[in-house]
Amino acid sequence: MRETSIHPTACVEPGAKLGQGVSVGAFCHVQAGAEIGDNSELMSHVVVTGFTTLGENAKVFPHAILGCEPQNGKHKGGHTKLLVGKNAMIREGVTMHRGSDTSRGYTNVGDNSTFLAYAHVAHDCDVGNHVTFANNVMIGGHCEIGDHAILGGGAAVHQFVRVGHHAFVGGMAAVVQDVIPFGMAIGVHAHLGGLNIIGMKRSGLERKEIHAVRRATRMLFDRTKPVKERVEDVRIEFADSPAVGDLIAFITADAKRSSFTTPLLHGKHGHIEDHS
C-alpha cells in the first residue's frame, strides 16, 4: 500500500482521520472529524466536511463537495452525517449533502457506486450498492435508490420517490412516482416503459426468474381487474419467485409516493414492452 500524501496547498484540519495510502491533492479541504478510508484519492479542490465518512478505495475528482449541510429549510443546524461506502467513483463537481436533523439525520451511499460529473445526492437519501448516476442527475431529499439502479444523464427524481433495484431511468426523465424493481422509466415526464431485461441478465438473474417477472408484470398491469385483485393473483401464481416477491413487496409497501401502475408505452397487443 502506498504512503499517505498531502499536497502542500491542501488543508487537512487536526482531527481529520486519514487511512493508510490516502492521497490528498492540491487545494483540497478536509475538515476536522472527516474520515477518509484507506487508499482513497482526493484529486484537487475537493471539500470533505467534518460530518462525512468516505470508504476505502474512493476516487474523488476536482471540485466535488461532500457533506455540506442540507438544503432543507426545516434543518436546525444539528450534527448530521454523510456516509459513503467503499470503491466510490465521484466525478467533477458532484455534491452530496448530509441528512437533516428533523429527519433521520444521515444520507447514505452504498458501495461500488459511480457518480458522473455534477450529479447531486440530496439530504436524507438512501442510495444502494452498484448504482450509477450519469452526468447532472439530481435526486431530491428522502429518495431511495435501489442496488444496481442506473439513472441517465439529466434525470431528476422527486423527493420521497423510490427507484427499485435494477431499475433504469432514462436521460432527462422527470420522475415523480416510484419506479418498480427492474422497471424502465423513460420520457421527459417519466412513465413505466418496460422492463430492464438487459440489466437483469447482466446481474446474473436466472432465466426462469426473468420470465416470471415478465409474466407477472403483464398480469399486474392488466387493467381489466382492480389493482388489489391483480396483486393477489400474482402473489398466488408466482409464490415461488423471489424476484416477483420483490415486485409485490415494493408495490404494496406503505410509501410516500405511488408506484407507476399504468404503463403508457405498450406493445402491439396492448401489453407492457420488454426492452431486451
Side-chain angles (χ1 to χ4, degrees):
M1 182 176 289
R2 67 190 181 195
E3 293 184 0
T4 295
S5 64
I6 302 172
H7 193 276
T9 62
C11 175
V12 178
E13 296 181 2
K17 297 181 181 179
L18 305 184
Q20 294 184 341
V22 170
S23 174
V24 181
F27 300 103
C28 290
H29 185 187
V30 183
Q31 293 183 355
E35 298 183 23
I36 311 296
D38 293 347
N39 209 36
S40 291
E41 178 183 4
L42 312 182
M43 294 183 67
S44 75
H45 297 86
V46 173
V47 175
V48 182
T49 74
F51 305 94
T52 299
T53 298
L54 183 63
E56 63 184 32
N57 298 315
K59 189 168 186 177
V60 186
F61 283 69
H63 301 286
I65 302 176
L66 307 179
C68 280
E69 69 178 40
Q71 296 177 139
N72 182 356
K74 296 180 180 179
H75 181 66
K76 305 302 181 184
H79 181 84
T80 57
K81 297 179 180 181
L82 168 66
L83 307 173
V84 181
K86 63 184 180 182
N87 303 319
M89 174 69 74
I90 300 173
R91 294 301 303 246
E92 299 86 344
V94 168
T95 51
M96 297 181 180
H97 289 171
R98 64 182 189 264
S100 50
D101 54 13
T102 54
S103 184
R104 69 178 190 169
Y106 67 95
T107 299
N108 184 70
V109 175
D111 299 336
N112 303 301
S113 292
T114 299
F115 300 87
L116 301 188
Y118 301 102
H120 174 65
V121 178
H123 60 88
D124 302 292
C125 287
D126 191 0
V127 179
N129 303 312
H130 301 280
V131 168
T132 299
F133 283 29
N135 295 57
N136 298 298
V137 167
M138 303 171 288
I139 62 172
H142 312 277
C143 288
E144 298 178 21
I145 311 296
D147 294 348
H148 297 277
I150 299 173
L151 280 66
V157 181
H158 193 282
Q159 62 187 20
F160 290 104
V161 161
R162 299 175 302 153
V163 175
H165 62 79
H166 295 88
F168 178 86
V169 176
M172 302 298 293
V175 184
V176 298
Q177 292 179 280
D178 290 350
V179 182
I180 62 171
F182 313 115
M184 291 185 68
I186 57 178
V188 175
H189 276 279
H191 56 271
L192 186 64
L195 294 175
N196 185 14
I197 301 298
I198 292 174
M200 295 161 76
K201 291 177 179 176
R202 286 176 176 172
S203 68
L205 203 66
E206 293 182 5
R207 181 183 294 271
K208 66 177 182 180
E209 283 290 87
I210 294 174
H211 288 318
V213 172
R214 279 175 157 164
R215 299 199 310 274
T217 304
R218 291 191 177 103
M219 290 178 63
L220 285 169
F221 294 111
D222 176 10
R223 287 178 285 175
T224 63
K225 291 184 177 182
V227 174
K228 288 184 179 179
E229 288 186 25
R230 302 180 222 164
V231 169
E232 190 58 29
D233 288 346
V234 170
R235 193 195 309 274
I236 294 170
E237 183 163 341
F238 299 94
D240 295 328
S241 170
V244 175
D246 282 347
L247 287 178
I248 297 301
F250 188 95
I251 291 170
T252 57
D254 184 14
K256 298 284 186 180
R257 308 285 295 183
S258 62
S259 296
F260 290 109
T261 55
T262 304
L264 300 183
L265 180 62
H266 298 280
K268 294 180 181 180
H269 305 292
H271 295 303
I272 188 168
E273 292 184 342
D274 297 327
H275 285 258
S276 53

